[in-house]
Amino acid sequence: MREITLSQAVNEALAEEMRRDPSVFILGEDVAEAGTPFKVLSGLVEEFGTDRVIDTPISEPGFVGMAVGAAMTGARPVVDLMFGDFIYLVMDQLCNQAAKQHYMSGGKLTVPMVLRTNLGATRRSAAQHSQSLQALVAHIPGLKVALPSSAYEAKGLMKTAIRDNNPVVIFEDKLMYQDKAPVPEEEYLIPFGEAHTKREGSDITLIATSSMVQVAEKAAEMLAGDGIDAEVIDPRTIVPLDEATLLDSVKKTSRAIVIDEGHQSYGVTAEIASRLNEKAFYHLDAPVLRMGAMDVPVPFSPALEDLTVPTPEGVVENARKLCAGEMIHAA
Amino acid sequence: MAKAKTNTEDYLRMYRQMVRIRTFEDNANQLYLSAKMPGLTHMYSGEEAVAVGICEALTDDDRITSTHRGHGHCVAKGAEFKEMFCELLGKAEGYCRGKGGSMHIADQSHGNLGANAIVGGSMGIATGSALRAKLMGKDDVTVCFFGDGATAQGLMYEVMNMAALWNLPVIYACENNGYSEYTKTEEIAAGSITARAEAFGIEAHTVDGQDVLAVNELTQKLVARARKGEGPFFMELMTYRYHGHHVGDINREYYRSKDEEKDWKDNRDPIIRFRAFLVSEGIATEAEIEAMNAEIEKNATEAVAYAEQAPYPPANEVDMHVYAD
Ligand SMILES: Cc1ncc(C[n+]2csc(CCOP(=O)(O)OP(=O)(O)O)c2C)c(N)n1
């Protein structure tokens, strides 16, 4: 199968959906000729014109709000939010407006919009350009949240997001735009709420999102050298969450580590770990561990920044301890 | 009064709609005071000529976005009493199946995209609706209602900038009732409100919001021009709210005087003024008007009675409509 980058995969998904459905359009800063700072949208304006790939002023609440209004009245906007960190600027439009229209109207209004943005540290971008804010949006009922872990997922999830009748937030890891993966030429969609088992194993389950899937896969390889057989699962969407696949795996392996790049406290990892505790407690041989980013603003210095995110080595260390029964803390 | 231009039928409909709003509000107020209505509500009485003058210039395809003070817009855009009272009481037959209430009432079938409890929160939605119209080659217009207080929100400036850059068919309708909650407009708004729109090159008008014909005439012109791609436009409508900021705002002399309220009610009431005009022009007799008022009152009483008896939504609807299919 041909291999393409995550960036090309997103670009293809958008182009295919825009060809299929004239109500799909793109709105954001420097999305047209510039194709975004990450060049993900390069070439789309040539095919679809400036009426469907619209450069906006620097007005995040303004254009996200406009996407909500366009979506409520029959269009399917895809908003490009240059950095995930800017989600803080648009919280009202996303969480009070987009997320609640369907419910508040008793099911009459729908908001079929996509907000695509990014997450991830270790790009030396410092505290205002490195955050992973998926937990913040996942907390709000009415929003769906997708976290592609490769080019394959990025394309399939984007196409599903565009066709979904709800507001969907997609976070791409900004370090992964150039990562290549096999992507079929034929059309495919990845349904929301279907986790993907990346690697089967019997001793411990590593549940990882976005770029943490790579971290988990590396950890699994390292653990294999120790004779520890790790299963790696990527939920792909955290809202909706495929709880069944996660529970089945944990019931089989009896141990789990949940890894996500958002801050550890009150995060995605806490939510998943808690569900496993509630629903698979008697199958567990050890507490479910959470591994998120440290609870600090992301530092600039490479020497410091690298300490803040989960690493394969860190996962291996925790997994070994869990499997050796060393994590049962005395009160 | 602005010059008579439309026909008798239009006048009578505008009068009827203003009385319907006033009657709706009087009944809603009673429901609240008798503790039958849950939550909070903000009365529109006094501002009827704004909603009616504007909405009468729109079709069902034209959209509006509304505010926390949204009953008037909802009635003016064509909603029915029964579904509205049901919504105010949280009943299943309400426009939003009891999930929106007073502050979120929405009647999409007539193009009302809904009331909004975030001050200034719908400015993006209205402008986005206009963007959609332009992109999809439709000629509908969207009117964004908001108060003078909302002009202090940054979102307005972001979207007016884009609306002006792209000539979007949106009309920003600022209902200046002199107060933002318990604060006078002069204390919270620097400079002139229309100048803010003019700074983006948006044509702005100030109009007497107590004169339904003046509002309607201006809106008709602006809507026609917006349909041709000459938008956006901005209107500042000078008006007044008779009640407190919300139904519980009873003792309000610390921020506005009884004399001031009395002056507006006695001398500038949009319904009294228009009624006198209709009679003096021979469009309706006093008797006809009284009959119309009585019929509207009867409709409202019946709708309230219906809503009071109507069932609440079943418990299984609580987690319905979080996500669309
Ligand atoms: C963002 C936001 N801030 C504050 C409030 C509380 N609040 C509700 S209505 C209101 C005053 C609005 O004044 P204005 O826009 O002039 O409208 P009016 O009530 O006069 O119709 C305030 C402060 C709110 N609902 N939303």
Side-chain angles (χ1 to χ4, degrees):
Chain A
M1 198 185 298
R2 62 159 187 171
E3 297 209 338
I4 60 173
T5 66
L6 190 144
S7 173
Q8 286 168 318
V10 173
N11 191 299
E12 273 191 11
L14 288 163
E16 287 176 17
E17 291 305 298
M18 288 173 84
R19 273 174 220 135
R20 189 185 60 80
D21 180 352
S23 69
V24 179
F25 71 96
I26 298 173
L27 197 63
E29 290 154 12
D30 284 326
V31 293
E33 284 75 15
T36 79
F38 297 104
K39 305 293 168 211
V40 177
L41 306 183
S42 290
L44 292 179
V45 72
E46 275 94 73
E47 179 173 352
F48 300 103
T50 50
D51 274 355
R52 293 183 71 194
V53 185
I54 304 172
D55 272 340
T56 63
I58 305 163
S59 304
E60 287 81 3
F63 63 75
V64 171
M66 287 169 67
V68 179
M72 282 166 70
T73 55
R76 290 188 172 267
V78 178
V79 180
D80 183 288
L81 191 66
M82 202 183 278
F83 282 90
D85 310 72
F86 306 159
I87 278 183
Y88 289 124
L89 282 106
V90 305
M91 283 311 256
D92 178 59
Q93 297 304 308
L94 190 62
C95 301
N96 277 325
Q97 309 299 338
K100 295 180 170 58
Q101 296 296 342
H102 189 64
Y103 193 80
M104 292 193 310
S105 66
K108 285 197 200 156
L109 293 163
T110 54
V111 187
M113 65 178 271
V114 179
L115 188 139
R116 55 169 293 271
T117 189
N118 50 44
L119 57 71
T122 65
R123 220 175 195 266
R124 318 316 180 203
S125 306
Q128 294 175 340
H129 284 75
S130 305
Q131 297 168 86
S132 299
L133 299 180
Q134 55 272 31
L136 211 62
V137 246
H139 189 65
I140 309 304
L143 300 177
K144 294 187 178 180
V145 185
L147 300 171
S149 61
S150 78
Y152 175 81
E153 270 83 20
K155 182 167 180 188
L157 292 170
M158 177 62 76
K159 286 172 69 87
T160 303
I162 292 171
R163 297 185 196 190
D164 198 287
N165 285 328
N166 296 281
V168 179
V169 184
I170 296 198
F171 289 91
E172 295 149 13
D173 188 299
K174 53 180 136 5
L175 268 189
M176 285 171 49
Y177 281 123
Q178 297 314 317
D179 287 6
K180 286 193 171 178
V183 173
E185 312 252 7
E186 318 73 67
E187 166 160 295
Y188 67 97
L189 299 170
I190 297 178
F192 284 179
E194 265 188 31
H196 180 218
T197 304
K198 301 285 267 190
R199 177 188 173 116
E200 303 221 6
S202 54
D203 296 327
I204 185 166
T205 303
L206 305 177
I207 298 162
T209 62
S210 186
S211 59
M212 293 298 111
V213 173
Q214 293 181 2
V215 167
E217 284 183 309
K218 274 191 202 125
E221 276 166 35
M222 289 154 75
L223 287 166
D226 290 1
I228 296 175
D229 189 14
E231 180 145 299
V232 176
I233 301 184
D234 170 13
R236 301 199 288 202
T237 53
I238 53 171
V239 183
L241 181 70
D242 179 0
E243 218 176 64
T245 298
L246 305 184
L247 286 171
D248 284 348
S249 172
V250 170
K251 286 176 185 170
K252 177 176 74 175
T253 62
S254 77
R255 297 176 189 90
I257 302 177
V258 193
I259 313 146
D260 174 86
E261 210 187 319
H263 294 300
Q264 172 134 341
S265 294
Y266 306 99
V268 170
T269 55
E271 174 62 29
I272 295 176
S274 181
R275 292 205 206 184
L276 299 179
N277 282 330
E278 282 167 3
K279 296 186 181 163
F281 184 74
Y282 292 105
H283 297 270
L284 291 170
D285 285 341
V288 176
L289 287 196
R290 294 171 291 153
M291 294 181 71
M294 285 173 72
D295 293 326
V296 298
V298 178
F300 164 70
S301 169
L304 299 180
E305 187 183 24
D306 291 345
L307 301 174
T308 64
V309 294
T311 58
E313 293 73 21
V315 175
V316 166
E317 196 185 322
N318 278 334
R320 279 188 189 135
K321 284 188 191 161
L322 275 189
C323 292
E326 286 171 24
M327 298 296 279
I328 318 291
H329 301 286
Chain B
M1 279 287 147
K3 256 253 123 336
K5 254 210 196 118
T6 43
N7 60 34
T8 305
E9 227 173 89
D10 292 336
Y11 289 161
L12 290 177
R13 200 178 48 242
M14 283 193 253
Y15 178 80
R16 164 185 286 273
Q17 287 290 63
M18 288 203 289
V19 175
R20 286 183 76 233
I21 295 174
R22 183 74 57 90
T23 309
F24 183 90
E25 294 296 58
D26 289 346
N27 279 275
N29 199 33
Q30 275 313 312
L31 278 173
Y32 187 84
L33 294 176
S34 56
K36 288 179 181 156
M37 181 178 160
L40 256 195
T41 190
H42 307 78
M43 293 290 142
Y44 197 69
S45 299
E47 306 191 18
E48 294 87 351
V50 175
V52 173
I54 290 176
C55 292
E56 285 292 315
L58 305 176
T59 69
D60 275 354
D61 285 338
D62 294 318
R63 312 300 211 282
I64 65 163
T65 61
S66 171
T67 67
H68 59 286
R69 200 177 298 290
H71 306 162
H73 309 135
C74 196
V75 172
K77 200 70 175 70
E80 299 295 339
F81 281 174
K82 213 164 84 176
E83 285 85 346
M84 284 188 71
F85 280 120
C86 280
E87 189 57 40
L88 260 49
L89 297 183
K91 301 300 179 73
E93 285 174 68
Y95 273 116
C96 311
R97 296 205 62 78
K99 284 175 168 160
S102 168
M103 279 198 288
H104 301 294
I105 199 157
D107 166 23
Q108 213 192 1
S109 61
H110 294 98
N112 181 356
L113 297 175
N116 207 305
I118 305 295
V119 170
S122 73
M123 290 163 169
I125 294 172
T127 312
S129 167
L131 175 66
R132 178 266 325 149
K134 183 177 172 175
L135 295 179
M136 298 175 76
K138 308 280 191 216
D139 76 347
D140 61 275
V141 170
T142 305
V143 174
C144 178
F145 286 102
F146 53 92
D148 45 287
T151 63
Q153 286 282 25
L155 182 64
M156 183 168 102
Y157 303 94
E158 298 192 5
V159 297
M160 283 200 307
N161 184 43
M162 285 182 268
L165 282 168
W166 305 335
N167 288 110
L168 299 183
V170 56
I171 298 175
Y172 299 101
C174 176
E175 307 182 302
N176 187 347
N177 58 21
Y179 295 88
S180 163
E181 232 173 47
Y182 317 115
T183 307
K184 278 192 177 18
T185 306
E186 301 89 84
E187 293 170 24
I188 50 106
S192 114
I193 285 178
T194 46
R196 296 164 181 219
E198 282 159 358
F200 295 97
I202 296 177
E203 187 180 306
H205 300 263
T206 299
V207 57
D208 178 359
Q210 305 308 88
D211 180 347
V212 70
L213 292 185
V215 174
N216 183 253
E217 194 182 9
L218 175 64
T219 313
Q220 285 193 36
K221 282 187 193 145
L222 298 183
V223 167
R225 289 174 57 197
R227 288 200 210 288
K228 285 191 285 177
E230 293 174 31
F233 299 103
F234 189 101
M235 287 197 261
E236 182 185 18
L237 301 118
M238 309 313 288
T239 185
Y240 200 74
R241 62 165 155 81
Y242 289 171
H243 291 265
H245 167 60
H246 65 88
V247 277
D249 174 21
I250 309 286
N251 301 317
R252 48 184 178 269
E253 276 189 274
Y254 68 93
Y255 74 89
R256 75 179 201 191
S257 70
K258 288 210 164 107
D259 285 349
E260 179 187 299
E261 291 186 6
K262 188 168 164 10
D263 178 45
W264 279 84
K265 286 184 191 170
D266 292 351
N267 303 318
R268 304 164 80 166
D269 183 79
I271 297 178
I272 297 175
R273 279 173 75 177
F274 196 48
R275 175 182 173 144
F277 170 83
L278 293 179
V279 173
S280 73
E281 294 287 307
I283 293 166
T285 64
E286 289 286 354
E288 283 165 348
I289 286 182
E290 283 304 324
M292 194 195 291
N293 291 356
E295 180 215 320
I296 293 168
E297 184 61 56
K298 184 165 168 277
N299 284 347
T301 312
E302 282 167 7
V304 168
Y306 182 90
E308 285 185 276
Q309 296 306 315
Y312 285 108
N316 73 347
E317 291 203 12
V318 68
D319 62 357
M320 221 180 253
H321 308 133
V322 178
Y323 293 97
D325 296 334

